[in-house]
């Protein structure tokens, strides 16, 4: 099995961390921009896109700061891969950024970054922060 590479990208966004946190940490918030539908049972989240379904376990969550999900295999065992969404606030300017930490196959990193760019664009539209 090919090992995926970790990457990080940052997007400035015009919104408060408190509002953003609702969109990155709840099934209803995530289904507005990240996936077509998101369901959860406790720490187990199911992300649905078109005809595909992926499961992830909520690994950590810090209110108004970050959320981290670990992808699961079909038998619900944990994989080595996760994605994390962090909210960063510049102490001086108070500018807010979303930092994404994710994994992709080496030859798919740019495609994966492009997908995140599109998803964050959708989030900005939902927030009215375009």
């Amino acid at each position: 099995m090919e090992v995926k590479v970790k990457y990080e990208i940052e997007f400035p966004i015009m919104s408060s961390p408190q509002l953003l946190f609702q969109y990155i940490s709840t099934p209803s918030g995530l289904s507005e921009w990240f996936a077509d539908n998101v369901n959860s049972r406790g720490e187990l989240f199911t992300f649905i896109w078109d005809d595909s379904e992926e499961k992830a376990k909520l690994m950590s969550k810090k209110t108004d700061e970050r959320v981290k999900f670990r992808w699961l295999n079909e038998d619900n065992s944990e994989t080595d891969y996760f994605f994390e969404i962090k909210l960063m606030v510049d102490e001086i300017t108070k500018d807010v950024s979303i930092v994404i930490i994710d994994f992709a196959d080496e030859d798919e990193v740019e495609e994966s970054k492009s997908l995140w760019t599109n998803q964050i664009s959708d989030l900005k539209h939902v927030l009215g922060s375009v």
Side-chain angles (χ1 to χ4, degrees):
M1 189 170 111
E2 190 176 325
V3 176
K4 296 184 180 201
V5 294
K6 184 177 176 182
Y7 66 90
E8 187 173 310
I9 47 178
E10 184 174 338
F11 300 93
I13 193 157
M14 302 290 280
S15 183
S16 71
Q18 295 79 12
L19 179 62
L20 278 173
F21 190 73
Q22 298 305 310
Y23 284 95
I24 68 168
S25 64
T26 65
S28 60
L30 286 161
S31 63
E32 294 252 357
W33 65 278
F34 182 71
D36 296 333
N37 196 6
V38 181
N39 299 314
S40 72
R41 280 197 176 174
E43 296 176 338
L44 189 66
F45 281 64
T46 304
F47 298 96
I48 301 159
W49 295 274
D50 295 328
D51 297 331
S52 74
E53 192 173 288
E54 296 288 333
K55 291 190 175 167
K57 181 178 179 187
L58 179 63
M59 299 303 292
S60 64
K61 176 164 91 170
K62 188 165 186 189
T63 302
D64 300 340
E65 281 187 28
R66 63 183 158 78
V67 64
K68 181 177 178 179
F69 293 93
R70 182 167 302 279
W71 293 112
L72 302 176
N73 290 311
E74 287 182 15
D75 63 358
N76 285 349
S77 62
E78 294 182 12
T79 68
D80 293 336
Y81 305 110
F82 64 87
F83 71 96
E84 185 171 8
I85 305 172
K86 295 196 271 188
L87 306 177
M88 308 291 280
V89 180
D90 184 291
E91 288 185 27
I92 297 167
T93 65
K94 302 295 182 207
D95 289 344
V96 178
S97 293
I98 291 182
V99 176
I100 307 291
I101 299 168
D102 200 0
F103 292 82
D105 292 331
E106 203 164 335
D107 60 345
E108 293 178 357
V109 170
E110 288 309 312
E111 184 181 331
S112 187
K113 285 182 177 181
S114 178
L115 184 63
W116 275 110
T117 300
N118 289 336
Q119 287 175 302
I120 296 298
S121 176
D122 289 347
L123 175 60
K124 287 179 178 181
H125 280 282
V126 168
L127 294 166
S129 104
V130 184

